[in-house]
Structures are given as structure tokens and as C-alpha cells.
Amino acid sequence: MDRGEQVISDKHLNYLKCVLISQLLLEANDDLKGSKAFKQNVKYQVSKTNQILEQVYQEGFNTVYHNNPEMCINVLNKIDKLIHKIKTATIDELIMIDALVDQYFNNKEEINKTQTTKFTKID
């Protein structure tokens, strides 16, 4: 699908990015529970912001979901797995992940010829 056929607008993609980043912040803050760095207020404020963003994003999500529920579920599962990998990665691993992502963006056509992505069939 090219940019002209994109079902979700760039604005909705930016809302999604904010939601994903907020989720990473919430999870990282939760992992600090019991330490001096944990802040209950951060959790409250980020959760509140997340709810606002999700409401705005929901319209675009519903459009995509109703057009292709299987693709939508698979993409959300891939995003969830990626967030988990980022959340649990060490500093060294994050640096390597960043380098790999840069390699991908610098050479998409070649990498897409050799790498495949598998989606799960949803019944």
C-alpha cells in the first residue's frame, strides 16, 4: 500500500506513536516500583494522557480494523512484541537494535527481498 492509499492519516500515526511511547513510559515507571525513582503521579498523568490519545486514535483504528481485521490484529501483535523487546533490552542491545533499524532504512529494497514477515491467520 503506498502513501496515497494509506487508510490511517499521518496525524493518526502520530497519535499511535504517542500512545506507544506513553505505554513504554508507564511500564518503565511500574518497573521502578519500590525505588525512590517510582512516581505514582507519573503513572496517573501518563495514563490520563494515554486515554485522551487513544480516544482520538480510535477512529482511525476502527476504520483499519473494519477494512481488514486480520491485518490489524497482526500489526498490533507485532507492535506489542516490538515494545516488549525494546522494554526488556539492555543498553547494548538497544544500540544494536538501532543500528539494525538504520541498516533496514538505508537498504529497504534489498532487505525486503531476503526477509519475510509472517502473519498469523485469524479465524
Side-chain angles (χ1 to χ4, degrees):
M1 174 183 325
D2 68 28
R3 289 295 264 188
E5 297 174 336
Q6 190 171 344
V7 178
I8 296 180
S9 70
D10 287 340
K11 178 179 73 173
H12 282 100
L13 287 175
N14 285 328
Y15 287 131
L16 175 60
K17 288 177 192 176
C18 288
V19 170
L20 296 175
I21 291 168
S22 296
Q23 189 60 38
L24 280 172
L25 178 60
L26 282 173
E27 291 181 20
N29 188 58
D30 282 347
D31 290 344
L32 295 174
K33 221 174 229 173
S35 74
K36 291 180 184 178
F38 176 78
K39 302 288 183 207
Q40 187 65 37
N41 192 37
V42 169
K43 182 174 183 169
Y44 171 75
Q45 293 299 328
V46 173
S47 293
K48 192 173 174 180
T49 301
N50 229 3
Q51 289 173 349
I52 293 166
L53 290 168
E54 284 175 350
Q55 289 171 355
V56 174
Y57 175 73
Q58 193 66 44
E59 178 184 331
F61 172 81
N62 287 342
T63 301
V64 173
Y65 184 82
H66 292 299
N67 287 339
N68 192 338
E70 185 170 88
M71 182 199 71
C72 193
I73 289 170
N74 274 283
V75 167
L76 290 174
N77 286 340
K78 296 287 183 186
I79 290 169
D80 188 49
K81 285 180 183 179
L82 180 60
I83 286 177
H84 178 74
K85 289 172 186 171
I86 291 169
K87 183 182 92 161
T88 59
T90 64
I91 296 298
D92 291 341
E93 290 169 336
L94 288 172
I95 292 168
M96 183 59 73
I97 290 167
D98 181 56
L100 291 169
V101 170
D102 285 345
Q103 283 180 2
Y104 171 77
F105 282 114
N106 291 331
N107 200 10
K108 285 182 190 179
E109 289 89 20
E110 282 301 311
I111 292 173
N112 285 335
K113 288 178 188 175
T114 59
Q115 299 295 315
T116 59
T117 299
K118 294 183 178 152
F119 276 2
T120 304
K121 182 81 175 147
I122 310 292
D123 295 322

